[in-house]
């Protein structure tokens, strides 16, 4: 076996400082419609977003009154997966419930 040679020429390598950056978070926002039942929205919030019945009811009422409401805040991949799951469950149940994903940095 050939002997390994030092490719730094004997110089000491400096360690590069790594900056730790928190991942960008995204909100999953439920949008109100005139056809999806309140009970279905509560079920989605409990099953997909692991909300307690009280939290689910509060979010559902916010969506109902204000037209939209944040179901949860996640990294991109998780937020996108949860929004897709909402669409799939709604479609299977015959409801038009929609969820969008938006960056927390661009919310007011």
């Amino acid at each position: 076996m050939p002997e390994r040679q030092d490719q730094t020429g004997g110089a000491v390598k400096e360690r590069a400082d790594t900056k730790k950056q928190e991942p960008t978070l995204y909100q999953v926002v439920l949008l109100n419609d005139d056809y999806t039942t309140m009970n279905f929205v509560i079920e989605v919030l409990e099953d997909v977003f692991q909300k307690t019945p009280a939290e689910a009811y509060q979010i559902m009422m916010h969506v109902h009154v204000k037209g939209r409401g944040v179901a949860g805040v996640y990294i991109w991949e998780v937020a996108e997966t949860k929004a897709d799951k909402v669409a799939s469950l709604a479609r299977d149940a015959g409801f038009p419930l929609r969820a969008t994903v938006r960056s927390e940095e661009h919310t007011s």
Side-chain angles (χ1 to χ4, degrees), residues 49-91:
F49 299 95
Q50 289 77 48
K51 300 297 182 186
T52 65
E55 291 171 321
Y57 179 80
Q58 183 178 13
I59 294 167
M60 177 277 300
M61 286 305 296
H62 184 84
V63 171
H64 180 69
V65 172
K66 301 287 186 178
R68 63 183 59 220
V70 177
V73 178
Y74 309 94
I75 61 171
W76 172 255
E77 292 82 5
V78 175
E80 191 70 14
T81 300
K82 289 189 180 285
D84 289 345
K85 182 70 174 175
V86 168
S88 175
L89 289 172
R91 184 175 46 252

Side-chain angles (χ1 to χ4, degrees), residues 28-32 41 45 49 59 63 67-69 71 86 97-99:
V28 180
V29 180
L30 296 181
L31 305 176
N32 190 38
V41 175
L45 288 163
F49 299 95
I59 294 167
V63 171
R68 63 183 59 220
V86 168
L97 180 64
R98 290 186 347 150

Side-chain angles (χ1 to χ4, degrees), residues 1-5:
M1 239 187 333
E3 190 174 316
R4 289 181 50 189
Q5 292 185 351

Side-chain angles (χ1 to χ4, degrees), residues 6 11 17 24 26 28-29 33-34 55 59 65 75 84 100 103:
D6 182 4
D17 287 337
T24 303
Y26 296 85
V28 180
V29 180
D33 62 74
D34 293 333
E55 291 171 321
I59 294 167
V65 172
I75 61 171
D84 289 345
T100 62
S103 171

